[in-house]
């Protein structure tokens, strides 16, 4: 990701430091977009979005706790912890009325944020993420999310990297980017991070929070998204809440890396509609 228009900063927590990048020339007339990558991915996931919007919008993108350059960081956080730290970062940087753009796990963080801090987000964009409410999930699905470490550890590392890169992206760019991000970890670190992330997601769902997003929502999902039951969850989400889904043709789970122009166009249209 080109950091030409972004400045790297750190936010200290008792468990470690969170790295994030923020526009180096904030303009009060421009809207704020906050990019939140998925589990095991880092700020590079949104490279094609940052380069596209760097001059027209104020941007903030982070490496979530225990991810990328936000390491070392103890694996003791919950989904709500991440939302609380995000709120502190936004407050410190005087970010107002942000549009939260969350890919996969980043979408869950966005929803926890909106639950804890109503009326703060101006909009929410879910990219290949899913609803956080308990009613969407079967009990066995939540049990499975809490017991993934042995499965991950059973795979040879090379095979795991191949599965992760090809399973999350359809484009050569997206696959190579995912491969690079995965290989920043060693096998055990990657498996422990993945297992912890899925476990805290299941725990967050099980709290059965009653929140509803209090801002406009945009659902984006790759037509070739094969991660879990993402497509099924999105169809049900759209049906229950009356939110249209924008299906990205030929894109996988990381649809913003597979079809950046299509996703950027939707983001641009959505943000402009809010003003």
């Amino acid at each position: 990701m080109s950091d030409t228009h972004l400045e790297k900063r750190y936010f200290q927590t008792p468990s470690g430091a969170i790295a994030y990048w923020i526009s180096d020339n904030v303009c009060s007339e421009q809207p704020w977009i906050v990019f939140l990558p998925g589990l095991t991915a880092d700020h590079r996931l949104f490279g094609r979005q940052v380069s596209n919007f760097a001059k027209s919008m104020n941007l903030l993108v982070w490496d979530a706790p225990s991810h990328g350059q936000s390491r070392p960081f103890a694996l003791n956080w919950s989904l709500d912890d991440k939302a609380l730290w995000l709120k502190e970062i936004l407050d410190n940087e005087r970010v107002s009325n942000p549009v939260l753009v969350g890919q996969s796990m980043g979408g869950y963080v966005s929803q926890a944020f909106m639950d804890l801090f109503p009326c703060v987000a101006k909009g929410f964009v879910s990219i290949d993420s899913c609803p956080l409410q308990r009613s969407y999930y079967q009990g066995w699905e939540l049990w499975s999310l809490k017991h993934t470490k042995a499965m991950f550890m059973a795979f040879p590392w090379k095979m795991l990297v191949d599965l992760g890169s090809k399973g999350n992206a359809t484009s050569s760019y997206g696959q190579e980017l995912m491969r690079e991000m995965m290989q920043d970890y060693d096998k055990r670190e990657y498996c422990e991070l993945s297992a912890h992330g899925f476990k805290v997601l299941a725990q967050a769902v099980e709290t059965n929070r009653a929140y509803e997003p209090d801002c406009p929502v945009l659902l984006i999902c790759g037509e070739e998204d094969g991660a879990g039951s993402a497509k099924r969850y999105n169809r049900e989400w759209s049906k229950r809440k009356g939110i249209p889904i924008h299906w990205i043709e030929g894109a996988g789970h990381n649809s913003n890396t597979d079809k950046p122009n299509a996703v950027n166009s939707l983001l641009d249209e959505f943000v402009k509609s809010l003003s």
Side-chain angles (χ1 to χ4, degrees):
M1 183 181 79
S2 173
D3 300 332
T4 304
H5 301 283
L6 300 182
E7 177 182 330
K8 183 181 178 183
R9 298 181 183 177
Y10 287 97
F11 176 76
Q12 296 292 333
T13 80
S15 298
I18 299 173
Y20 64 95
W21 291 256
I22 189 169
S23 295
D24 59 7
N25 189 19
V26 171
C27 175
S28 61
E29 304 300 316
Q30 294 177 346
W32 276 99
I33 299 184
V34 176
F35 291 113
L36 304 169
L39 184 62
T40 74
D42 58 45
H43 69 285
R44 291 173 288 179
L45 186 79
F46 288 108
R48 295 285 170 92
Q49 284 66 55
V50 168
S51 61
N52 186 75
F53 294 111
K55 294 182 180 180
S56 60
M57 302 183 189
N58 299 315
L59 308 180
L60 188 147
V61 56
W62 78 355
D63 282 358
S66 307
H67 292 64
Q69 297 182 41
S70 296
R71 295 179 294 159
F73 202 106
L75 280 178
N76 57 7
W77 40 263
S78 67
L79 199 65
D80 282 1
D81 287 331
K82 292 165 83 171
L84 289 164
W85 288 324
L86 177 61
K87 180 61 163 58
E88 290 189 67
I89 290 172
L90 298 185
D91 287 347
N92 287 350
E93 298 292 352
R94 300 181 181 178
V95 174
S96 59
N97 301 314
V99 177
L100 304 178
V101 180
Q103 190 274 337
S104 195
M105 182 63 78
Y108 295 117
V109 175
S110 299
Q111 292 174 76
F113 181 97
M114 291 184 289
D115 180 38
L116 294 172
F117 307 105
C119 302
V120 173
K122 189 172 185 177
F124 166 48
V125 180
S126 168
I127 300 179
D128 302 293
S129 189
C130 303
L132 194 56
Q133 288 93 339
R134 173 65 179 84
S135 61
Y136 289 89
Y137 297 84
Q138 300 294 321
W140 68 267
E141 292 175 309
L142 298 177
W143 184 91
S144 297
L145 285 172
K146 291 187 286 186
H147 298 84
T148 59
K149 184 176 177 180
M151 177 189 70
F152 281 115
M153 290 296 295
F155 287 96
W157 180 227
K158 183 180 183 300
M159 183 182 296
L160 199 58
V161 172
D162 286 341
L163 289 171
S165 57
K166 295 176 182 177
N168 282 290
T170 58
S171 66
S172 56
Y173 167 76
Q175 290 178 3
E176 183 56 33
L177 178 62
M178 193 66 207
R179 181 180 297 273
E180 289 176 7
M181 292 187 292
M182 289 181 67
Q183 289 179 326
D184 275 355
Y185 309 96
D186 61 35
K187 178 184 177 181
R188 177 165 293 278
E189 184 181 24
Y190 175 85
C191 293
E192 290 178 348
L193 174 58
S194 299
H196 182 74
F198 286 126
K199 181 182 72 174
V200 301
L201 170 58
Q203 292 170 339
V205 169
E206 287 173 338
T207 61
N208 200 22
R209 56 190 77 207
Y211 95 103
E212 293 290 342
D214 56 4
C215 61
V217 177
L218 172 63
L219 300 182
I220 296 174
C221 191
E223 286 187 349
E224 306 301 323
D225 190 337
S229 302
K231 290 194 290 187
R232 175 170 63 83
Y233 290 136
N234 272 273
R235 290 191 188 99
E236 186 64 21
W237 201 358
S238 174
K239 179 181 177 181
R240 291 192 195 182
K241 304 304 178 184
I243 307 169
I245 303 176
H246 295 268
W247 297 101
I248 307 300
E249 182 179 359
H253 188 59
N254 298 355
S255 59
N256 62 297
T257 68
D258 287 335
K259 298 290 183 176
N261 291 340
V263 171
N264 290 349
S265 179
L266 290 169
L267 287 176
D268 188 51
E269 181 180 341
F270 180 69
V271 173
K272 286 178 178 177
S273 74
L274 301 178
S275 59

